[in-house]
Amino acid sequence: MPLMTLANEAATGTAISADAWKSVLSAMTSQISVTTVVGVLASVVGSAIALVFMWWGVRKLARTLMAAFRSGKLRF
């Protein structure tokens, strides 16, 4: 029964008005600038390029090793 009482109390909370969110939104928008957006985009693009090259390298290595095992010779 205590869980039901707790759920009922949580459901009867008060609604948050738009005035309460003004300070939160102004704090968030003051922290975001063109420099931070460009920095985040640059780091995401750089990480994506690194992951693509790493994926390509792992596939190349796996193909080279499998070909070496099949033929008995190691070629690059």
Side-chain angles (χ1 to χ4, degrees), residues 9-74:
E9 289 174 8
T12 59
T14 59
I16 299 174
S17 66
D19 292 333
W21 286 102
K22 282 184 183 179
S23 63
V24 173
L25 289 176
S26 65
M28 287 177 60
T29 54
S30 68
Q31 295 295 323
I32 298 172
S33 67
V34 175
T35 307
T36 57
V37 171
V38 169
V40 168
L41 287 176
S43 63
V44 166
V45 168
S47 298
I49 290 171
L51 286 173
V52 166
F53 277 123
M54 195 168 25
W55 171 70
W56 177 77
V58 167
R59 288 191 63 202
K60 175 73 173 165
L61 181 65
R63 277 185 278 154
T64 302
L65 287 175
M66 291 305 292
F69 282 124
R70 285 189 201 112
S71 68
K73 298 176 184 175
L74 186 60

